[in-house]
Amino acid sequence: MESEIKLKEQGIISRLTNKTFNFDKKLKEGFYSANYFLKSREIVKKCAPNHIVTMQFFQRRDDTMICGLDEAIAILHTFATHPEKLEIFSLKDGDIANDGEPVLKVTGKYEDFGFLESVIDGVLTRRTCVCQNTREVVEAVGDTPVFSMADRQDDYLTQVGDGYASYVAGIRRVSTDAQGLWWGAKGMGTMPHALIEICGGDVCQAGDIYYSCYPENGVTALIDYHNDVVNDSLTLARHLGRKLHAVRVDTSKSLIDHYFDDKDTSGFDPHGVCKELIFALRNALDQEGFDYVDIVVSSSFTAEKIREWKKLGVPVSMYGVGTSLVNNTIVGFVGDLVELDGKPEAKEGRENIFSSRLEKVPYPIYNVKEVKKKA
C-alpha cells in the first residue's frame, strides 16, 4: 500500500474527465465490441427489455495497482445509451486491489451499456498491466531515476494510455510527448546511434553537432555504436569535457563489448549490458577525472534485474525500461452480470461481491479535478 499512499499524499490520484480522452466514435456503433454482445443487445431490446442489471469487473491477482478506471467510466459516460441513468461505483486509478475484488460496478439497463463489456475489460487489462509493471520497476529502482522507453515496444496508439498508466505508478520521464499527454509531460531524448552513423561513426563529431543544437542540458550520448563502450566514452569525455552530461549504454544481448576481448569472462555472462561492464566504465571515467559523467543504461531491464543491480551497488544514474513495462500478460479483467432487477443472478461461480471501497461516480465528470501535472 506504500506506493498508493505516497501517490495520494502528492495529490496525484484523482479523476480524469471525459474531455481528457480522444475516443473513436465507432465505439458507439459497437465496432470494437465482441459480436455476441451486440447480438445480445438486440435480442434484449426486442424480447426482454428494461431489466436492471449490475455488471461487476475484477481480476485475479493480489496486490495489484489498478489503472484504466477513469477511462472505462468515460467510455460508459460517452457511449452508453442514457449514461445519466447508470449507477457506477468504482475504485480510483492507483488503488491496490486483490484477487477477485471488484474494482468497478455498473448498474442499469443491459441494452444501454452491456455491449461495452469487452471494451472495458481490454482497457482495464492493458492499463493495469502497464501500471503494475511500472510499480514494480519504480519500487526496484528506489531513488534512482527511470524513464519509459515503452514507445518502441508496441503500437504507437498505445502510447498515450500506457504513458498515463506508468505515470500513475510513479514514472515521470518518458520518451514521447504522447506518453505525457494526459498529465502534461514532454518527451526526453539522447544523442542517438543514428547521429553517429550519419557522422561516419565519429562519436566526437556527433557530440559536437548535437551540442550545437541542444546546449541547454549537455550531451547524453548512446555510446555502444562501436561496441567499445569504455574507450568511446573516454574519447568523447576527453573531447567534450563538461559538455558531456552522461553516456547511455544500450549494448545488444547478442554482443560482448570489446572491453572483454582480452579478459577472462568464464565467471559471468559478458553479453549485453552486464554489471561488470558498468563497473569498468565507471572506474575508467573516474580515473581520468570524469566523475561528473553519469551512466545511463537500457536494453532488457526488468524489475528483477534492477533489484539485483541495486543490491550490488552497480553505479547507474538512470535506468531506461521499455519491454517489461508493457508486458500485457500479468492481469486479465472479467466483467460479469451478478444482479438482475435487484436480486442475485449470476453464472455458477460468480456472485455480487460487496466492497466498501467502491465510490459512487457522479455524472457527468467534466467538472471533477483533473490529475495534477507533475513533470
Side-chain angles (χ1 to χ4, degrees):
M1 297 293 289
E2 183 177 348
S3 295
E4 178 190 17
I5 294 170
K6 184 177 180 181
L7 286 169
K8 287 186 173 179
E9 286 176 349
Q10 295 173 350
I12 292 169
I13 301 303
S14 57
R15 295 290 184 199
L16 292 172
T17 73
N18 289 47
K19 294 181 180 179
T20 304
F21 306 98
N22 184 22
F23 295 128
D24 188 332
K25 294 180 180 179
K26 289 183 179 178
L27 278 164
K28 183 75 172 180
E29 304 166 13
F31 183 74
Y32 296 97
S33 296
N35 187 258
Y36 66 85
F37 290 131
L38 301 180
K39 289 181 176 178
S40 295
R41 177 177 62 172
E42 293 307 308
I43 293 170
V44 169
K45 284 169 66 175
K46 293 179 180 178
C47 303
N50 300 321
H51 289 287
I52 303 300
V53 300
T54 295
M55 187 175 291
Q56 174 178 273
F57 294 84
F58 70 97
Q59 52 85 46
R60 290 292 192 188
R61 191 178 187 276
D62 283 335
D63 191 31
T64 300
M65 185 173 279
I66 306 301
C67 194
L69 289 164
D70 285 358
E71 192 173 354
I73 292 164
I75 287 172
L76 286 163
H77 281 177
T78 305
F79 299 107
T81 305
H82 302 300
E84 72 281 0
K85 295 182 180 180
L86 297 179
E87 186 176 62
I88 301 175
F89 286 84
S90 171
L91 296 182
K92 291 183 179 179
D93 288 338
D95 281 346
I96 306 299
N98 291 318
D99 176 3
E101 180 182 359
V103 303
L104 175 68
K105 289 187 181 185
V106 187
T107 299
K109 293 182 180 180
Y110 179 83
E111 57 268 35
D112 285 351
F113 73 95
F115 72 102
L116 295 169
E117 176 183 332
S118 59
V119 173
I120 293 171
D121 282 338
V123 165
L124 293 177
T125 294
R126 177 73 187 196
R127 304 294 175 246
T128 298
C129 283
V130 175
C131 191
Q132 178 62 26
N133 289 332
T134 303
R135 176 194 180 200
E136 293 176 7
V137 167
V138 168
E139 290 177 348
V141 299
D143 295 333
T144 304
V146 59
F147 70 100
S148 171
M149 300 170 59
D151 57 292
R152 64 209 68 192
Q153 306 304 329
D154 213 329
D155 190 299
Y156 72 94
L157 293 174
T158 65
Q159 288 186 29
V160 175
D162 288 356
Y164 168 69
S166 285
Y167 170 79
V168 168
I171 280 185
R172 299 291 173 268
R173 295 169 175 86
V174 292
S175 298
T176 71
D177 291 353
Q179 290 171 289
L181 179 65
W182 287 350
W183 48 279
K186 296 293 184 181
M188 54 178 280
T190 61
M191 187 182 86
H193 296 120
L195 188 58
I196 302 172
E197 193 272 343
I198 288 171
C199 293
D202 188 333
V203 294
C204 293
Q205 181 185 354
D208 284 339
I209 62 176
Y210 181 95
Y211 185 79
S212 69
C213 293
Y214 299 100
E216 57 274 4
N217 296 318
V219 177
T220 296
L222 273 162
I223 204 65
D224 56 287
Y225 184 84
H226 298 292
N227 196 35
D228 196 6
V229 161
V230 175
N231 284 329
D232 277 0
S233 293
L234 290 174
T235 297
L236 189 59
R238 293 167 188 150
H239 179 74
L240 289 178
R242 290 281 176 175
K243 295 177 184 177
L244 181 62
H245 170 68
V247 290
R248 177 175 144 211
V249 185
D250 190 54
T251 308
S252 168
K253 288 194 298 184
S254 65
L255 297 176
I256 299 175
D257 190 274
H258 290 304
Y259 173 79
F260 298 113
D261 286 352
D262 59 352
K263 295 175 178 62
D264 180 13
T265 60
S266 59
F268 63 94
D269 181 1
H271 288 85
V273 186
C274 63
K275 58 184 180 297
E276 292 79 8
L277 178 60
I278 302 306
F279 277 120
L281 174 58
R282 181 73 274 162
N283 183 60
L285 287 168
D286 290 352
Q287 282 187 343
E288 292 205 18
F290 303 122
D291 56 333
Y292 56 85
V293 176
D294 289 341
I295 298 176
V296 182
V297 296
S298 54
S299 185
S300 303
F301 277 86
T302 63
E304 181 180 9
K305 183 174 180 178
I306 292 170
R307 277 193 293 269
E308 177 191 359
W309 280 36
K310 293 285 288 186
K311 184 178 180 180
L312 295 173
V314 183
V316 172
S317 300
M318 184 182 295
Y319 289 89
V321 184
T323 302
S324 66
L325 297 184
V326 293
N327 172 6
N328 208 36
T329 61
I330 64 167
V331 174
F333 273 86
V334 176
D336 287 314
L337 293 181
V338 292
E339 193 172 275
L340 175 66
D341 296 329
K343 297 180 180 179
E345 182 63 41
K347 69 178 183 180
E348 184 73 23
R350 298 287 195 263
E351 61 179 332
N352 191 358
I353 300 172
F354 172 76
S355 172
S356 62
R357 298 180 61 202
L358 299 178
E359 298 180 8
K360 190 169 184 177
V361 179
Y363 176 84
I365 58 172
Y366 296 109
N367 61 346
V368 178
K369 181 180 178 183
E370 292 191 27
V371 170
K372 180 189 291 185
K373 295 180 179 179
K374 184 170 181 174

